[in-house]
Amino acid sequence: MSDVTILVAGVVVLLITAAFFWRCLPRDGKLYRFADTEWEPYVGVAFCSGIALAFTMILSSVINLYGT
């Protein structure tokens, strides 16, 4: 994959993760659907992993683009 493709993919992963996080925020005094369930810690790990993956892809591609 080229560096530009990885950069774009990182931005897309970041936007998708941010959109899902925004969707899971409490609204109208209601908790999100995974609150107080067995899935709650996994959802938190998924958000953290998505953000970490996106920033790693973005930083890696930017370093490669400016390093060459």
Side-chain angles (χ1 to χ4, degrees):
M1 291 181 113
S2 70
D3 293 328
V4 176
T5 306
I6 295 173
L7 178 66
V8 171
V11 170
V12 168
V13 170
L14 184 64
L15 291 175
I16 290 171
T17 304
F20 280 130
F21 180 75
W22 183 259
R23 180 69 178 111
C24 286
L25 288 175
R27 299 188 200 304
D28 301 325
K30 298 178 187 173
L31 294 177
Y32 72 106
R33 67 184 307 177
F34 296 112
D36 298 328
T37 66
E38 60 188 27
W39 287 97
E40 184 176 16
Y42 300 113
V43 173
V45 169
F47 286 136
C48 291
S49 298
I51 292 171
L53 174 66
F55 279 123
T56 301
M57 291 172 72
I58 292 169
L59 289 175
S60 173
S61 63
V62 167
I63 289 171
N64 285 336
L65 283 171
Y66 287 114
T68 56

